[in-house]
Amino acid sequence: RKEVEQDPGPFNVPEGATVAFNCTYSNSASQSFFWYRQDCRKEPKLLMSVYSSGNEDGRFTAQLNRASQYISLLIRDSKLSDSATYLCVVNLHTGGFKTIFGAGTRLFVKA
Amino acid sequence: DTGVSQDPRHKITKRGQNVTFRCDPISEHNRLYWYRQTLGQGPEFLTYFQNEAQLEKSRLLSDRFSAERPKGSFSTLEIQRTEQGDSAMYLCASSGGGNYGYTFGSGTRLTVV
């Protein structure tokens, strides 16, 4: 089992749609969580941190459920420019250091 | 430019040759990371520096790979005796610690022929 698993995608949605991505992690020592966005052939860029209380940044909402070891990202009112791969990221603090990236979920937003 | 810089952007090399990549992190960031990414996968952790100290190395980092950060500023990643399986995007990232995530460079795309 992979340490971080994401919806395989791709997700094909029309402009204006609401889309949700899920991510599960296996290591209960996971301490901090992020969503990154990666455009084709570009580097990943930090989209938002994920907090237990949930957090929102404009059209984007991230949720964390530690009990279920589950993270989600909700995008409302999708734009064409949201088309990208969304990477779920988990930091482990287990004496050493380890940051694990999921394989990503591809999103295509169409006009 | 105050972001993370990587050089070169692209490298094509013949199998068996040695290659070296450079990363210049954001100047005030004391943490520097190297990742490798192949098509359809997320970045895989290779190694991590805090200042000049290499604190963590992945099992992916075989003895053909070596990384340095001699003065706690820029870092180099060397691959000796390259193999076709080394073809990937090599990403460098830096952070100032805490829970703020990373800033990635644009990467070096290595093709071993």
Side-chain angles (χ1 to χ4, degrees), chain B residues 19 41 64 68:
Chain B
V19 294
Q41 299 300 314
R64 296 185 298 105
E68 294 182 342

Side-chain angles (χ1 to χ4, degrees), chain B residues 25-39:
Chain B
I26 292 172
S27 57
E28 58 267 30
H29 285 179
N30 61 352
R31 296 184 180 184
L32 185 147
Y33 315 86
W34 285 99
Y35 281 81
R36 180 173 69 187
Q37 187 174 26
T38 53
L39 195 64

Side-chain angles (χ1 to χ4, degrees), chain B residues 24-103:
Chain B
D24 287 87
I26 292 172
S27 57
E28 58 267 30
H29 285 179
N30 61 352
R31 296 184 180 184
L32 185 147
Y33 315 86
W34 285 99
Y35 281 81
R36 180 173 69 187
Q37 187 174 26
T38 53
L39 195 64
Q41 299 300 314
E44 295 175 297
F45 172 74
L46 293 179
T47 191
Y48 154 58
F49 291 85
Q50 183 156 320
N51 299 312
E52 66 275 9
Q54 189 174 21
L55 298 185
E56 189 93 7
K57 288 172 64 173
S58 165
R59 290 169 300 176
L60 295 174
L61 214 66
S62 75
D63 57 3
R64 296 185 298 105
F65 288 71
S66 61
E68 294 182 342
R69 193 182 182 197
K71 297 181 181 178
S73 55
F74 74 91
S75 175
T76 57
L77 177 69
E78 181 182 17
I79 309 174
Q80 296 182 325
R81 305 181 302 281
T82 52
E83 302 173 355
Q84 286 190 317
D86 297 331
S87 295
M89 174 74 87
Y90 290 83
L91 292 161
C92 176
S94 68
S95 78
N99 192 30
Y100 303 114
Y102 302 166
T103 301

Side-chain angles (χ1 to χ4, degrees), chain A residues 34-84:
Chain A
F34 306 89
W35 284 100
Y36 280 71
R37 170 196 169 123
Q38 187 170 26
D39 293 294
C40 188
R41 303 183 76 82
K42 299 283 189 180
E43 73 275 18
K45 292 187 178 178
L46 179 64
L47 181 64
M48 58 197 305
S49 301
V50 187
Y51 304 116
S52 296
S53 54
N55 48 303
E56 188 173 307
D57 183 2
R59 297 181 294 108
F60 298 82
T61 300
Q63 296 278 351
L64 166 64
N65 184 320
R66 286 187 184 270
S68 301
Q69 296 184 189
Y70 170 93
I71 305 159
S72 66
L73 177 68
L74 184 76
I75 305 176
R76 291 181 299 278
D77 188 24
S78 299
K79 311 291 184 191
L80 294 175
S81 58
D82 294 334
S83 297

